[in-house]
Amino acid sequence: SSWRAAKYFVAAENIALQTQEESLHARTTDSTAPQHALQKLSVFNTKVGDFLRSTHDGRECAMECVSTAPLVFVIDDLIDEKECEHIVTRAGKLLEKSFVMGGEYQVSDTGSSEPLADTAPAAEEAADPALYRSSYNAWLSQDGVLNQLQQRLAVVLGLRAAYLKTKSEELQVVKYGPGGQFKVHQDSSAFNSRLVTALLYLNTVNEDSLEAAEGENAVCAAVQGGETWFPYATTAEDGNKDNGLSTPISVEGAIEAALRIYEAHEGTKDAATDSSICLPGLKIVPKRGRAVVFFNHLSSGAIDPGAVHAGLPVKVKESESDESKTTKKAVEKWVANYWVELDVDLLS
């Protein structure tokens, strides 16, 4: 059952954490090794607003730094429309309920903070806001399209293609229906160390929210639905916290503090329409072809509490029909994740 799986995961996480601590202790003769290896990957040393450009197979990719702590980059048009459609088509035949395990709030099949039956909301119905994670996902093995995408990503990150091929998990594709969300979480853990997340948006959730976010008030724009939220992001060019939260010293503390704000915001009646109601930090709007690349670990090799993030609920869009009656249109959000494993020895 999902409860037993969660129980065994927590036990494995504790064992992995102990092993990790012993490994770090054994490296005291060369305490800078993890830092040097990570610096080879994150040699960017950029500030907010900087662009890092690369070219692969004639396609130019411009990677913009949007936060320095955690280190977050946005790449528009990393993948094209045909590639997005290819991924969605393959995944659509394999979708299963999403789950997340590990941590006080992440122990059930559907990702709820409370024990639930092994059911998920139907795709056409609004998801229960009590669910910690409400979505469907599929894992895709490599094919010609994904090989090209992986090679392109290696060039963008400045990694050897062989490393990315060896140390990347299979592509995870996620579908969110109306109300679908993934509350505050960290992608990495002692049991499953993920150095880098490459989050790919496979569709544009809301054209209106895209236009609003590209305006002057992008950081504090009203939540329109489906954004990726980094509550502790340092978005100011001078490296100050700007409007982000102060980062707690632990992942658990970071999740707990951000979760209080997240749930208070979602419980506000006008959260999606009142621009004065603003989540702190950084919100990135889903746009087809856009990628968000962020680092889950600090240069020391430790998991970064500031890299916790959330997928905000997908809002039901209201529109005017021919009869001038307000109707509600169900929307979907499709994303994909490549996770690159932390392997200090291989990066060295």
Side-chain angles (χ1 to χ4, degrees), residues 143-216:
D143 61 12
V145 171
L146 298 190
N147 285 338
Q148 283 292 318
L149 174 57
Q150 198 174 72
Q151 291 170 15
R152 195 179 309 146
L153 191 57
V155 172
V156 168
L157 292 174
L159 279 172
R160 298 189 303 274
Y163 179 88
L164 205 63
K165 183 177 181 180
T166 305
K167 291 298 179 180
S168 289
E169 299 177 36
E170 288 188 334
L171 186 71
Q172 184 200 53
V173 183
V174 186
K175 175 188 176 183
Y176 295 90
Q181 65 180 335
F182 193 174
K183 297 183 182 181
V184 188
H185 62 281
Q186 229 285 4
D187 284 354
S188 189
S189 69
F191 179 65
N192 192 13
S193 294
R194 292 164 167 168
L195 175 63
V196 175
T197 296
L199 172 64
L200 316 173
Y201 297 122
L202 304 178
N203 72 319
T204 299
V205 176
N206 188 322
E207 293 289 350
D208 295 334
S209 64
L210 187 61
E211 293 177 5
E214 291 176 347
E216 295 181 358

Side-chain angles (χ1 to χ4, degrees), residues 22 82 127:
E22 292 172 353
K82 288 185 177 179

Side-chain angles (χ1 to χ4, degrees), residues 41-296:
L41 179 59
S42 54
V43 293
F44 309 113
N45 293 322
T46 57
K47 62 180 182 294
V48 171
D50 283 354
F51 282 87
L52 302 167
R53 303 182 188 277
S54 58
T55 303
H56 177 260
D57 276 355
R59 183 199 298 260
E60 181 177 317
C61 295
M63 184 163 67
E64 180 185 5
C65 180
V66 294
S67 171
T68 53
L71 191 57
V72 182
F73 298 91
V74 170
I75 313 165
D76 281 332
D77 303 317
L78 178 70
I79 53 179
D80 61 33
E81 183 174 349
K82 288 185 177 179
E83 290 170 328
C84 290
E85 291 177 352
H86 172 81
I87 294 171
V88 169
T89 299
R90 278 193 64 192
K93 306 171 185 177
L94 304 170
L95 291 172
E96 298 179 345
K97 290 183 300 180
S98 299
F99 68 92
V100 60
M101 294 185 294
E104 179 181 356
Y105 303 103
Q106 304 160 296
V107 294
S108 73
D109 233 16
T110 49
S112 170
S113 54
E114 298 293 336
L116 295 171
D118 288 333
T119 58
E124 67 273 8
E125 298 176 355
D128 184 348
L131 297 178
Y132 207 95
R133 183 182 189 186
S134 47
S135 62
Y136 295 85
N137 70 62
W139 297 87
L140 301 185
S141 58
Q142 289 297 112
D143 61 12
V145 171
L146 298 190
N147 285 338
Q148 283 292 318
L149 174 57
Q150 198 174 72
Q151 291 170 15
R152 195 179 309 146
L153 191 57
V155 172
V156 168
L157 292 174
L159 279 172
R160 298 189 303 274
Y163 179 88
L164 205 63
K165 183 177 181 180
T166 305
K167 291 298 179 180
S168 289
E169 299 177 36
E170 288 188 334
L171 186 71
Q172 184 200 53
V173 183
V174 186
K175 175 188 176 183
Y176 295 90
Q181 65 180 335
F182 193 174
K183 297 183 182 181
V184 188
H185 62 281
Q186 229 285 4
D187 284 354
S188 189
S189 69
F191 179 65
N192 192 13
S193 294
R194 292 164 167 168
L195 175 63
V196 175
T197 296
L199 172 64
L200 316 173
Y201 297 122
L202 304 178
N203 72 319
T204 299
V205 176
N206 188 322
E207 293 289 350
D208 295 334
S209 64
L210 187 61
E211 293 177 5
E214 291 176 347
E216 295 181 358
N217 198 26
V219 173
C220 195
V223 173
Q224 297 291 337
E227 297 93 334
T228 303
W229 177 46
F230 293 90
Y232 301 99
T234 303
T235 58
E237 292 187 9
D238 59 7
N240 291 324
K241 268 297 179 186
D242 197 19
N243 72 328
L245 299 173
S246 297
T247 309
I249 61 174
S250 70
V251 172
E252 292 78 10
I255 291 176
E256 184 177 350
L259 190 59
R260 285 197 297 268
I261 295 174
Y262 179 98
E263 294 185 333
H265 178 274
E266 288 307 311
T268 304
K269 181 179 179 181
D270 298 322
T273 57
D274 187 351
S275 60
S276 66
I277 301 172
C278 178
L279 286 171
L282 173 69
K283 297 187 296 293
I284 300 175
V285 176
K287 174 187 176 184
R288 175 181 284 180
R290 172 176 288 171
V292 183
V293 176
F294 55 96
F295 288 75
N296 298 305

